[in-house]
C-alpha cells in the first residue's frame, strides 16, 4: 500500500498515554513524600531489643514454612484432571521406522491423572527437601 493511502494513526491513544504517565509520576511523588515524613526518627522509648526481635522472626518464619508448605505439595496441579475437557489428556505421538514411539503423554500424563507437586518426576524429589 502506498504511503499516501495509509490511514493516519489517531493521536488520542498517545495523549491518553501521556496523561497516564503524568498521573503515575504525580502519585509516585506523593507516595515518596509520605514515606519521607513517616520515616522520622522514633522516640527513645520505642527502641526494642534487636536480638529478641530477630529470634522471634526466625521462629515465626520456620514454623509458618513448616505448616504452610505441606498443603501446597499435595495440591492437584491440573484442575481439569480426570474430566472429559482436560486439554492435557489429548495426546499426540509419532513413530519413525522401528524406533520406540514418542508422545506427549510422557510429559503430561501424570498431570492429566490428577498428580500433585510431590508426584511429578523431577520436581517431586526436590519437594522432599521442603518442610511440611
Amino acid at each position: 500500500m502506498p504511503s499516501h493511502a495509509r490511514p493516519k494513526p489517531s493521536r488520542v491513544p498517545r495523549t491518553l498515554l501521556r496523561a497516564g504517565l503524568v498521573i503515575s509520576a504525580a502519585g509516585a511523588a506523593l507516595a515518596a513524600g509520605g514515606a519521607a515524613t513517616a520515616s522520622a526518627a522514633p522516640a527513645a522509648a520505642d527502641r526494642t531489643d534487636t536480638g529478641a526481635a530477630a529470634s522471634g522472626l526466625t521462629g515465626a518464619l520456620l514454623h509458618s514454612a513448616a505448616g504452610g508448605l505441606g498443603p501446597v505439595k499435595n495440591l492437584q496441579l491440573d484442575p481439569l484432571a480426570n474430566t472429559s475437557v482436560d486439554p492435557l489428556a489429548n495426546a499426540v505421538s509419532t513413530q519413525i521406522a522401528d524406533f520406540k514411539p514418542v508422545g506427549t503423554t510422557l510429559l503430561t500424563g501424570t498431570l492429566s491423572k490428577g498428580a500433585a507437586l510431590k508426584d511429578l518426576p523431577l520436581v517431586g524429589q526436590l519437594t522432599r527437601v521442603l518442610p511440611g
Side-chain angles (χ1 to χ4, degrees):
M1 174 184 285
S3 63
H4 69 279
R6 287 190 198 133
K8 303 292 183 217
S10 74
R11 297 304 239 176
V12 175
R14 184 168 289 184
T15 305
L16 289 175
L17 178 66
R18 287 182 182 162
L21 288 173
V22 168
I23 291 171
S24 298
L30 286 174
T37 58
S39 66
D46 292 339
R47 292 187 183 153
T48 60
D49 183 19
T50 56
S55 133
L57 180 63
T58 305
L61 286 176
L62 288 176
H63 291 299
S64 67
L69 292 179
V72 173
K73 295 191 312 187
N74 298 323
L75 186 65
Q76 180 179 342
L77 294 177
D78 185 14
L80 298 174
N82 298 321
T83 63
S84 61
V85 294
D86 185 14
L88 296 177
N90 297 330
V92 177
S93 64
T94 185
Q95 183 178 3
I96 299 174
D98 58 344
F99 294 108
K100 287 176 46 177
V102 177
T104 58
T105 56
L106 180 67
L107 297 174
T108 62
T110 55
L111 288 176
S112 67
K113 293 177 186 167
L117 189 62
K118 65 180 179 73
D119 299 330
L120 294 179
L122 209 62
V123 181
Q125 296 172 357
L126 294 175
T127 58
R128 292 183 190 140
V129 177
L130 297 174

